[in-house]
Amino acid sequence: MADYRQMWKDLGMDLELHDQLCEVLPTAFGDVYLSQEDRPESMDYYNFVVSEIHGVRPAELIESQKKGGKVFGTFCVFVPDEIIFAADAIATGLCGGSQFWVPGGEKVLPTNTCPLIKASVGARLEKTCPFFRIADMFVGETTCDGKKKAWEILAEDVPIHVMDMPQMKRQKDLDAWTNEISIFKNKVEEFTGNEVTSEKLSQAIKLINDKRRALKRLYEFRKNENLPISGKDVLLISQIAFYDDPTRFASMTNKLCDELDERVKNNISVFTAGTKRIMLTGTPMAIPNWKLHHIVETSGGAVVVEETCTGTRYFENLVDETKTIIDEQIEALTDRYMKINCACFTPNTGRIDDILRLAKEYNVDGIIDVNLKFCNLYDTEGYFVERALKEAGIPVLGIETDYTDQDAEQLRTRVGAFIEMLSNK
Amino acid sequence: MYNVGIDIGSTAAKAVIMSEDKKEIIHKLLMPTGWSSKETADMVLNWMNERGVNTENSNITATGYGRVSVPYANKVITEITCHGKGALFLNGGDCAIIDIGGQDTKIISIENGVVSNFLMNDKCSAGTGRFLEIMANTLGVSLSEIFNLAEQGEEISISSICTVFAESEVISLIGKGCSKNDIACGVVSSIANKVVNLCGKHNSRSESYFLTGGFCDSEYMCRKLSQKLKKPVVTNQLARYAGAIGASLLA
Ligand code: SF4
Ligand code: SF4
């Protein structure tokens, strides 16, 4: 990695603690990623982005700040990036996916908080992640209870705007979300000093749609019987999508897809015949959480689709690009975003429909319903998910896990047995 | 060719040498796992060699949590699949298996001769052999004694679901002068209740249960479980070898 120590120092980071993180990441990445055989060459770009994860992109963000640009840090796929980019600002995802940050979060949060929240709070308060230092403003949402209260704690340390997210999807709730996006727009305009005009918003809508199209194109390859790319690699790409420059991300991902087109023509698969096709559904997997994918893909399975916020929920459905008046554009945003089916909503039957549809589209052999420990919402909803799958005759395995490695062997047994079970069917 | 199944569990290692036609168990071994699964695996190999069985004249499958520590195995299969196969062999037909292991408890449904679904308890020792071991220690009795005591006792409820808390609860019950029999009965019931909850969650279609693992000697445990589940629970003397038997059948 190039030398970014001065930059990290200027960001007020805890260098000593951060060094520990820098030490473990490359090993973890090597074990999980570089050990894979026959990876597409175009993965080099993403390898590079990860190897310089706390360097290259942070440096770009700082560069834009020097020119007067603002950076917004977000934690949920409901927050419309379009508004941020339309104000010539940059949005970057901030969800923490490493156990490294959890103890820092536990200093202020109850132990029975989900690791995603603990890691995110820890990363900020312990000053060990440049992205959490760089963001000028954090954008929270009133999704789950854990997050709601965490914003109050973070607000003591960093400016934060909280979007009031509806908990149901009636017309009055959709209207409320439209209103909330308008409020957000005003806030962003005020904070950046830039007006969000309808032209700018049009461009931003196109920009983010292009990113979604690239991801969709990538996911299409996973519907093939011969899988030209591993699930782990796609997960990594999805994770990077949250903080990379959207234009560059879309173009690099399209380039990768061109390579995958060739692979498909030549019937190349990165898995041996008979590998079981697995869908993961449940809570998000923030970078560098590669745990379950790694276990599945080293136990005779291939992850072919994720019905998660770091999967299909992130890119499915586009925002209508034909609107030219601000109010209509904002309504178009509401239309698209309110199609995301998160367990924060009641009822959330749309998610079950999505899972059943994706199971067909990706021709899955079995589904793993994975929940982060202490995520009450997804855990409770698991009851309906697993019941619906049983009714549909799709084998399902429920798993609860966190960011530690303590349960790795237990998980290996469960996942291994699940895949053996699918093989004997 | 012999068929060998080696099940290295968290507390005990089991091995079975099965005849070529996979119908007859020729030898079986039960020993504590000890600290190192690797050493245990070496000892199993010695035991095989003493009986004229070696890596040349046998197919070997390893299972259990130490399954990756058996370098001479030809196949590695999870204990869930092996338990299913082994219990099917012993029971002679489809059933739901309750396996109370040293570290985890699992319920496995067998339909049409194959595993159709399974459920494992969470990372928690309540409802496992480990729980009983700790409680027997606290009561100052051996594992076999605790069942005998329990049989003569009246059930008192032990409400803590966490092993650590349950231990202090048992200590305070002893302090209060409750009879050992009643406490033992409470301890065994607490495990049974946890297992029954797991069965409820698993929701097997099967009409009967088959108990495998270390508790299979206890007729009392079977009766207790059967009362609570309102379905027959049967077992077999060889049921603690179910994993190893299954592994040998899959070798
Ligand atoms: S799971 Fe729900 S709350 Fe979390 S990022 Fe997704 S949409 Fe937002
Ligand atoms: S995983 Fe669940 S508990 Fe954690 S932030 Fe998302 S919704 Fe909240």
Side-chain angles (χ1 to χ4, degrees):
Chain A
M1 200 194 282
D3 193 8
Y4 295 105
R5 292 187 77 82
Q6 190 54 45
M7 178 179 90
W8 293 332
K9 217 166 156 188
D10 295 344
L11 285 171
M13 287 172 60
D14 182 336
L15 290 189
E16 232 170 88
L17 205 56
H18 185 245
D19 283 347
Q20 294 174 18
L21 180 62
C22 292
E23 240 162 66
V24 293
L25 251 186
T27 330
F29 189 70
D31 290 351
V32 175
Y33 277 93
L34 304 179
S35 61
Q36 297 179 97
E37 277 169 31
D38 210 12
R39 296 174 79 207
E41 265 173 43
S42 315
M43 282 310 295
D44 283 350
Y45 170 69
Y46 307 95
N47 293 344
F48 168 73
V49 173
V50 173
S51 71
E52 302 262 328
I53 189 165
H54 282 180
V56 178
R57 183 63 179 155
E60 283 180 359
L61 297 178
I62 292 171
E63 213 35 58
S64 90
Q65 284 175 322
K66 283 191 185 142
K67 294 187 197 128
K70 296 284 184 213
V71 175
F72 289 79
T74 64
F75 298 87
C76 174
V77 300
F78 269 92
V79 171
D81 285 352
E82 288 88 345
I83 300 286
I84 297 170
F85 283 96
D88 291 324
I90 299 176
T92 185
L94 283 186
C95 290
S98 167
Q99 177 62 22
F100 183 80
W101 294 306
V102 169
E106 282 178 343
K107 284 186 188 159
V108 292
L109 296 167
T111 316
N112 58 352
T113 304
C114 102
L116 198 151
I117 301 177
K118 287 194 279 205
S120 302
V121 169
R124 170 71 198 186
L125 299 185
E126 301 249 278
K127 307 182 169 56
T128 43
C129 173
F131 291 97
F132 279 84
R133 304 301 308 163
I134 291 170
D136 298 291
M137 176 176 272
F138 286 14
V139 187
E141 8 60 43
T142 56
T143 41
C144 66
D145 289 354
K147 276 178 155 188
K148 270 191 287 212
K149 289 288 133 183
W151 309 139
E152 295 173 25
I153 294 175
L154 284 173
E156 296 191 330
D157 194 51
V158 56
I160 185 157
H161 173 80
V162 179
M163 296 186 77
D164 184 4
M165 208 164 86
Q167 313 279 296
M168 295 176 77
K169 290 182 178 172
R170 300 159 303 181
Q171 188 55 45
K172 94 184 214 333
D173 301 306
L174 305 193
D175 296 342
W177 188 239
T178 306
N179 193 24
E180 202 53 37
I181 299 178
S182 295
I183 296 171
F184 181 51
K185 172 181 138 315
N186 296 342
K187 182 80 187 187
V188 171
E189 287 179 330
E190 186 195 315
F191 196 72
T192 57
N194 299 329
E195 194 193 337
V196 174
T197 62
S198 60
E199 289 79 46
K200 289 248 169 189
L201 190 51
S202 258
Q203 284 164 14
I205 288 174
K206 170 95 176 37
L207 174 78
I208 306 299
N209 273 349
D210 282 345
K211 168 155 98 174
R212 295 188 183 114
R213 286 187 191 101
L215 282 167
K216 176 146 180 38
R217 184 175 167 207
L218 174 64
Y219 268 63
E220 286 299 313
F221 290 102
R222 309 170 85 187
K223 294 181 180 170
N224 281 306
E225 193 184 322
N226 287 322
L227 295 164
I229 184 165
S230 70
K232 275 197 275 198
D233 278 335
V234 176
L235 173 67
L236 181 70
I237 297 168
S238 304
Q239 291 171 333
I240 288 174
F242 281 79
Y243 65 92
D244 200 6
D245 172 70
T247 310
R248 180 179 52 212
F249 175 83
S251 101
M252 295 314 283
T253 303
N254 277 312
K255 195 179 133 228
L256 165 73
C257 290
D258 294 340
E259 185 185 343
L260 298 183
D261 269 330
E262 285 305 306
R263 286 191 159 210
V264 169
K265 265 185 225 148
N266 299 320
N267 286 326
I268 294 179
S269 174
V270 291
F271 294 100
T272 49
T275 299
K276 293 293 148 195
R277 303 172 64 92
I278 306 292
M279 179 200 298
L280 300 188
T281 178
T283 47
M285 292 167 189
I287 199 163
N289 178 8
W290 308 308
K291 185 173 164 178
L292 197 57
H293 278 69
H294 184 56
I295 291 177
V296 170
E297 299 201 333
T298 48
S299 304
V303 180
V304 294
V305 59
E306 302 84 7
E307 191 281 319
T308 65
C309 282
T310 40
T312 54
R313 276 182 238 145
Y314 186 50
F315 67 81
E316 280 202 327
N317 302 308
L318 297 174
V319 179
D320 185 349
E321 293 178 1
T322 63
K323 303 287 182 229
T324 48
I325 306 165
I326 266 284
D327 287 347
E328 292 179 359
Q329 288 171 315
I330 292 182
E331 271 170 31
L333 288 174
T334 296
D335 279 350
R336 188 266 156 192
Y337 280 91
M338 281 294 148
K339 284 191 192 125
I340 302 171
N341 294 313
C342 168
C344 293
F345 287 88
T346 184
N348 190 35
T349 46
R351 178 163 164 240
I352 312 264
D353 301 339
D354 285 345
I355 296 172
L356 294 172
R357 167 178 57 84
L358 293 167
K360 273 212 191 89
E361 285 180 15
Y362 290 82
N363 191 21
V364 308
D365 296 307
I367 297 183
I368 300 180
D369 178 25
V370 56
N371 292 306
L372 282 171
K373 215 169 173 184
F374 305 122
C375 176
N376 226 332
L377 290 166
Y378 278 87
D379 196 7
T380 309
E381 197 162 283
Y383 170 75
F384 293 113
V385 171
E386 288 171 30
R387 192 179 67 186
L389 291 174
K390 275 186 194 142
E391 278 166 15
I394 305 172
V396 55
L397 172 70
I399 275 182
E400 186 188 72
T401 185
D402 56 16
Y403 293 168
T404 66
D405 270 331
Q406 284 163 9
D407 60 349
E409 283 315 307
Q410 271 231 9
L411 290 184
R412 267 195 189 282
T413 301
R414 289 178 201 209
V415 171
F418 185 61
I419 290 170
E420 285 165 3
M421 185 181 105
L422 298 178
S423 310
N424 289 331
K425 275 226 149 105
Chain B
M1 267 325 235
Y2 294 103
N3 297 294
V4 179
I6 302 172
D7 176 4
I8 305 205
S10 61
T11 46
K14 282 84 56 179
V16 157
I17 299 173
M18 180 75 76
S19 61
E20 171 136 33
D21 62 2
K22 298 188 175 173
K23 289 213 167 107
E24 188 197 342
I25 299 169
I26 309 176
H27 295 289
K28 55 184 196 301
L29 168 74
L30 173 72
M31 61 188 259
T33 301
W35 288 112
S36 148
S37 317
K38 276 228 156 49
E39 266 170 43
T40 311
D42 287 343
M43 286 156 82
V44 173
L45 187 60
N46 280 339
W47 170 82
M48 285 163 54
N49 290 344
E50 281 162 18
R51 279 151 192 83
V53 181
N54 52 46
T55 51
E56 314 277 84
N57 67 6
S58 67
N59 302 310
I60 304 168
T61 296
T63 186
Y65 107 117
R67 62 189 180 277
V68 287
S69 314
V70 187
Y72 52 86
N74 311 99
K75 268 194 223 166
V76 174
I77 301 177
T78 65
E79 50 266 42
I80 293 168
T81 305
C82 291
H83 266 278
K85 203 78 195 161
L88 186 69
F89 177 87
L90 296 171
N91 188 49
D94 284 0
C95 58
I97 300 159
I98 300 174
D99 177 58
I100 308 180
Q103 234 161 58
D104 46 46
T105 293
K106 29 191 181 294
I107 317 294
I108 307 166
S109 282
I110 305 287
E111 287 176 59
N112 305 319
V114 293
V115 174
S116 62
N117 204 357
F118 66 88
L119 185 68
M120 250 163 117
N121 71 327
D122 299 316
K123 317 178 247 192
C124 167
S125 56
T128 69
R130 182 89 190 111
F131 180 85
L132 191 70
E133 212 174 282
I134 290 172
M135 296 309 147
N137 254 330
T138 313
L139 285 172
V141 300
S142 75
L143 272 178
S144 49
E145 273 172 313
I146 201 168
F147 287 116
N148 292 339
L149 294 178
E151 228 177 323
Q152 295 153 30
E154 289 277 324
E155 183 169 335
I156 34 174
S157 103
I158 294 184
S159 53
S160 306
I161 36 171
C162 165
T163 308
V164 182
F165 288 116
E167 195 180 358
S168 19
E169 207 175 323
V170 166
I171 291 171
S172 79
L173 288 173
I174 299 175
K176 270 193 221 149
C178 292
S179 89
K180 251 189 196 179
N181 294 358
D182 293 355
I183 303 177
C185 186
V187 165
V188 174
S189 300
S190 143
I191 298 182
N193 288 339
K194 259 242 131 167
V195 171
V196 169
N197 281 345
L198 208 59
C199 289
K201 223 173 158 195
H202 176 71
N203 199 8
S204 177
R205 278 183 287 250
S206 176
E207 279 313 309
S208 69
Y209 286 91
F210 186 81
L211 179 69
T212 67
F215 288 4
C216 66
D217 292 337
S218 167
E219 208 194 295
Y220 176 65
M221 192 70 188
C222 280
R223 239 188 298 135
K224 192 116 220 168
L225 284 171
S226 155
Q227 265 165 22
K228 293 186 190 269
L229 287 165
K230 302 193 178 66
K231 277 186 188 176
V233 178
V234 296
T235 187
N236 180 304
Q237 270 184 326
L238 293 174
R240 69 166 73 237
Y241 297 94
I245 294 172
S248 70
L249 294 171
L250 293 164

